[in-house]
Every structure is written in structure tokens, then in C-alpha cells.
Amino acid sequence: MSHHDHRVGVSEIHLVTRHLKLEPNDEAAIGAAVADIDALYGLDSVFYDAKKHRLDFAYDATRLCLDCIEEILEKHAVTISQGWWNRFKEEHYRFVDQNVKDNVRQEPWSCHQSPPKGRRK
């Protein structure tokens, strides 16, 4: 496994990457939204591909979720594409984000637990 440097607040084990297609919008509004998104704690990277009208970003799913990103896009009046594939991905991203958050709170079970203190093999 290779070592990658991540921003503060980002754990590689909880890192997820997302891709959202945006409707053609005002470039200034998109730039402002990307700047606000880039300032979020737990975000690892964000990039807007103007040719493909696609926003690519990566974040720690225990600290952020897709709704946080979409809230900022909405604040800047940046519209997300409502095509069926984009809507499908959004729902899948929400499911995975919630799953990561739920699993962080769970205690390991069975052989995944650490051995009791003072007991060694």
C-alpha cells in the first residue's frame, strides 16, 4: 500500500471520491462554489472540469457528506444535472456516506476485536 499525504481531517481509510455532472452555469458562480467547498474541513480535493461540466471531489465520509457539498452548490445557484445517471449516483453516494458513518460507530465483533489487555498468544 502506498503512502499518500492527505489534508488535515482526512483519513485514507474513510476517503471517498465523487463525480457530479453540473448543468452549464456561470463560471464565476462555479469558481466561488469550488472555493467554498475547498475550505471545508474533511475535504481532500476538489476540481471542476469545465469541458465535461463535472465536479470531482474527495472527502472523508466520517466528516462530510454529499449533502454538505450540494448545499454549497445550491447557495451559489450552481445546478446539478438531473439526468437519471447523476440522480442514481447521488443516491448511491448518500447510501455509502451513511454506511461509512454507521460503521465508524460500531464496535468490532468476533476476530476483528483487539485481544483483551494482558492476554497474549
Side-chain angles (χ1 to χ4, degrees), residues 62-108:
T62 61
R63 302 191 186 279
L64 288 176
C65 64
L66 181 63
D67 294 331
C68 300
I69 305 296
E70 288 183 345
E71 199 173 282
I72 291 173
L73 293 173
E74 187 176 305
K75 180 178 100 175
H76 290 281
V78 175
T79 311
I80 298 171
S81 173
Q82 290 301 307
W84 73 270
W85 182 243
N86 217 37
R87 288 192 322 264
F88 176 80
K89 287 192 308 184
E90 283 179 289
E91 290 307 312
H92 177 71
Y93 293 161
R94 283 187 181 92
F95 173 78
V96 171
D97 289 352
Q98 188 60 51
N99 197 19
V100 169
K101 286 179 183 177
D102 291 344
N103 285 331
V104 165
R105 292 186 208 120
Q106 289 289 77
E107 234 181 272

